[in-house]
Amino acid sequence: MPNSRYPCLCFLIRKAGRITTRNYDNFLKPCGLKVTQFSMLANIARNPASTVSELAELLSMDQTTVSRNLRVLEKSGYIHLESERTDHRIKRIQISDLGVSKMNEARPLWEQAQLDMETVLGKENIDMMIKSVKKLLK
């Protein structure tokens, strides 16, 4: 089997993801959200009444991980899970007024994290990275 001329891309991408997550978490720390929570709230706000499985698909996450994160958001009062009338096993997710307020508090901090990434990586590299990620998503 021929050797690749690149280092392990999976390792590098995962490491970059961890570093990026840590950076965003540091920016969001004053509002008490992690970037994963912010992302989930933003997607719930954009897709009201999604089910857990729909949100998992949207985020490319497994349902167990999504459910675990949703419990934290629910305990904080940022979302409500409402059972479907016809099938109580299906839960619809709604962002609460408190969740909208937390999103409004977090958004400027998230924007600072975005600007920091642009400063570190540069616009051209970000544009190239977005194109590359879109290829992976196909």
Side-chain angles (χ1 to χ4, degrees):
M1 179 164 80
N3 288 336
S4 174
R5 60 186 173 123
Y6 302 109
C8 179
L9 297 176
C10 183
F11 171 78
L12 288 175
I13 291 168
R14 289 176 59 94
K15 185 174 182 178
R18 288 189 296 272
I19 291 167
T20 302
T21 297
R22 190 170 35 241
N23 186 46
Y24 276 75
D25 284 349
N26 285 335
F27 274 95
L28 289 169
K29 193 175 266 186
C31 76
L33 287 180
K34 301 277 188 187
V35 71
T36 308
Q37 296 167 323
F38 177 83
S39 177
M40 289 185 95
L41 283 174
N43 278 283
I44 292 165
R46 279 194 301 270
N47 301 280
S50 294
T51 65
V52 174
S53 59
E54 290 167 345
L55 184 61
E57 171 109 9
L58 193 66
L59 298 172
S60 297
M61 296 171 72
D62 64 80
Q63 285 188 21
T64 304
T65 303
V66 170
S67 293
R68 187 173 45 248
N69 283 289
L70 288 175
R71 278 194 293 277
V72 172
L73 294 174
E74 186 178 34
K75 281 182 183 177
S76 299
Y78 301 146
I79 63 161
H80 303 289
L81 295 173
E82 299 170 6
S83 294
E84 186 81 17
R85 290 176 197 226
T86 56
D87 186 344
H88 292 290
R89 295 171 297 175
I90 299 173
K91 306 281 189 222
R92 299 264 172 206
I93 312 159
Q94 299 284 357
I95 191 166
S96 68
D97 290 342
L98 184 60
V100 170
S101 177
K102 183 55 74 170
M103 285 289 302
N104 290 336
E105 178 187 350
R107 186 164 308 281
L109 301 170
W110 175 84
E111 288 172 358
Q112 287 177 2
Q114 289 280 100
L115 290 172
D116 182 68
M117 291 299 291
E118 189 173 332
T119 299
V120 170
L121 296 173
K123 184 179 176 346
E124 285 182 15
N125 286 327
I126 292 173
D127 289 340
M128 189 169 45
M129 184 171 43
I130 290 170
K131 285 179 188 174
S132 297
V133 169
K134 284 182 178 179
K135 286 180 182 180
L136 291 173
L137 297 176
K138 289 182 181 179

